[in-house]
Amino acid sequence: MRILVLGITGYLGGHAAEQLRTLPGVRLLGAGRTPATGPAVDLATVDTRQLADVVASFAPDAVVNCAGAVGGDAVTLAEVNARGPAVLCAALREAAPRARLVHLGSAAEYGPAAHGERVTEDAATRPAGPYGATKLAGTVAVTAAGLDSVVLRVGNPVGPGAPSAGLPGRVVRQLLPAGADPGAVVRLGDLSAYRDFVDVRDIARAVVLATTAPGPLPPVLNIGGGQAVPVRELVHGLARAAGFRGRIEETQGGSARSSDVSWQCSDISAAADALGWAPRYGLAESVAALWASARTGPAPAPAGDRVR
């Protein structure tokens, strides 16, 4: 089986590739924004003809799209998260119409939910900002393309190697130089929002199952931890793992999305039914693995924010 992973040099793409490589009989093919692992493919700028040529040269049985932007202005987000999947689908229709497409979406596509609600895949999508809106546009492009496809609508990733473009990696970058100094201060925004954290290794396993599952799959599947956790709990868990003895200060404000979406939790029962998938790692294990990975080297810096 020939599997092409787009965004293979990113956070989610790297973990997905690591697990896909272990499958017997799989030949893993990779493409990213740099030619280190294969031809350079930037979904923000590539045109359909160019991408179709790349896809044809690989002749994949399946394509996993982990490319995406989590930061930047609205134009950047739209180029990568909305235009990119649309171009990819057009290229696949031309060059590999029978290949399965596994595309990584985001729970941010749902937008605000009632406190205590677990959101199912058929819930209304009302994204609260440009990131969620552009990810939703990418999902629509995939589900409307007429391909053998599935969108994995991912919660908030956490775990080993988390980049500083997201909150877990950003907190790690502040904790590393602080050490055990009791006078150290880590300043963050409002941490009262609830988020559905999911370990990056569990996301990668969902990618493996979706890529190799026989027969058609539902168009969208939620991939999350299945419970809402205060962001504050994540931060204080990282502080404990780091042996941090200083003070964590929450300032007023923070991201607009945190104030607009105070609760996020996905119902993950459909993924259990369709893929036999359920998360294996709890938040404490994810936090411990993140801190352990950070201590082996510098905390990962954002690669132009295009990590998911």
Side-chain angles (χ1 to χ4, degrees), residues 19-192:
Q19 292 197 25
L20 288 166
R21 268 191 203 99
T22 67
L23 298 178
V26 162
R27 181 178 177 190
L28 192 67
L29 313 160
R33 291 190 301 121
T34 61
T37 56
V41 174
D42 188 346
L43 290 184
T45 58
V46 70
D47 64 35
T48 301
R49 176 72 266 158
Q50 292 171 324
L51 188 53
D53 288 343
V54 170
V55 170
S57 70
F58 283 129
D61 299 296
V63 176
V64 179
N65 183 28
C66 298
V70 298
D73 60 24
V75 173
T76 299
L77 292 168
E79 287 172 342
V80 184
N81 297 339
R83 177 192 183 277
V87 172
L88 174 59
C89 288
L92 286 176
R93 285 196 300 268
E94 181 176 335
R98 292 184 177 84
R100 164 153 302 164
L101 172 59
V102 178
H103 173 75
L104 296 191
S106 170
E109 298 169 35
Y110 289 119
H115 193 92
E117 178 184 1
R118 282 186 168 85
V119 179
T120 62
E121 290 83 354
D122 58 1
T125 47
R126 299 171 296 151
Y131 172 68
T134 57
K135 289 299 289 185
L136 178 59
T139 289
V140 171
V142 171
T143 57
L147 299 166
D148 175 11
S149 65
V150 60
V151 175
L152 303 183
R153 201 167 259 165
V154 174
N156 286 60
V158 64
S164 56
L167 177 68
R170 191 161 65 250
V171 173
V172 165
R173 287 188 73 193
Q174 294 192 52
L175 290 172
L176 276 170
D181 177 7
V185 179
V186 169
R187 293 181 175 87
L188 300 166
D190 180 14
L191 303 176
S192 63

Side-chain angles (χ1 to χ4, degrees), residues 249-279:
E249 288 187 358
E250 297 182 38
T251 60
Q252 293 297 320
S255 72
R257 182 165 171 261
S258 292
S259 59
D260 292 340
V261 184
S262 61
W263 171 276
Q264 182 186 83
C265 187
S266 295
D267 185 318
I268 56 175
S269 57
D273 293 339
L275 302 176
W277 177 90

